[in-house]
Amino acid sequence: MKIAIKYTLFSLLVAMSLISCNTGESLQTYFVDNQEAADFVSADIPTSIVKLDESTLTEVQKEAYKSVQRLNFLGYKTSETNMVNYNAELAKVKTILNDEKYTELMEFRDSGMTFVVKYLGDDDSAEEVIVFGSSKEMGFGIVRILGNNMRPEQMATLANAFQSADFDESQLEGITNFFK
């Protein structure tokens, strides 16, 4: 009986240690670790800053818009003196995003910047959608889009609606000034 109890306790201990040993950094921990670090800027962006005319949205876009609850932004600005650190931070972010748990939705280049859109979840429901943009001249920025019942294909159609949206620029001043 004592051997069975010892075996069970030992098995539980080993199982707990294996579960708790997550060697890879997550995007969430990267945000937390760097939100107040030098050369970084972070912001929680409320969805209320985006003014969409819902009458022009399709039903799919409306559903996607309503599924988004908040956005978290983390940016790193480059300068002549921090390029080594920029490259190290960029490599960390790319390593995190290259984890197989993130599914790529799209990748594109625009005006010298590279953008990657990925999501965490499955084809039916995304826990978070990640938009990552980088440029050696400006730095990089990561937006974590968090919500309920977000569907990856709906997020892609919602991106089209955002192109014609009005933004409350006063709430984005800290972010836009950071990259100037």
Side-chain angles (χ1 to χ4, degrees), residues 31-167:
F31 265 67
V32 171
D33 292 346
N34 293 294
Q35 66 188 1
E36 294 187 20
D39 296 322
F40 282 92
V41 66
S42 69
D44 288 330
I45 305 168
T47 57
S48 61
I49 68 163
V50 180
K51 295 177 179 92
L52 286 175
D53 181 5
E54 289 192 44
S55 66
T56 63
L57 298 179
T58 66
E59 287 303 315
V60 171
Q61 289 172 331
K62 284 180 188 176
E63 188 178 331
Y65 180 62
K66 290 178 181 173
S67 71
V68 175
Q69 292 181 328
R70 65 180 183 175
L71 301 110
N72 299 125
F73 173 81
L74 182 69
Y76 186 94
K77 183 179 178 179
T78 58
S79 69
E80 292 177 13
T81 60
N82 71 357
M83 289 307 289
V84 171
N85 197 32
Y86 164 77
N87 288 326
E89 294 299 328
L90 184 63
K92 284 181 193 177
V93 172
K94 286 183 176 182
T95 299
I96 292 169
L97 293 178
N98 284 334
D99 190 312
E100 62 187 31
K101 68 182 176 183
Y102 295 104
T103 304
E104 189 167 313
L105 200 54
M106 68 176 92
E107 182 175 342
F108 59 95
R109 297 183 198 310
D110 185 32
S111 303
M113 289 196 73
T114 302
F115 293 92
V116 178
V117 181
K118 295 189 173 204
Y119 66 93
L120 182 61
D122 56 39
D123 292 339
D124 296 327
S125 179
E127 297 171 28
E128 68 181 83
V129 176
I130 297 101
V131 179
F132 172 66
S134 65
S135 162
K136 284 215 182 271
E137 292 77 32
M138 294 176 59
F140 66 79
I142 311 161
V143 178
R144 293 177 63 221
I145 303 168
L146 307 165
N148 289 325
N149 301 318
M150 295 187 304
R151 297 180 52 93
E153 75 277 0
Q154 290 177 336
M155 292 295 124
T157 64
L158 185 60
N160 293 333
F162 279 131
Q163 291 177 353
S164 62
D166 290 328
F167 291 89

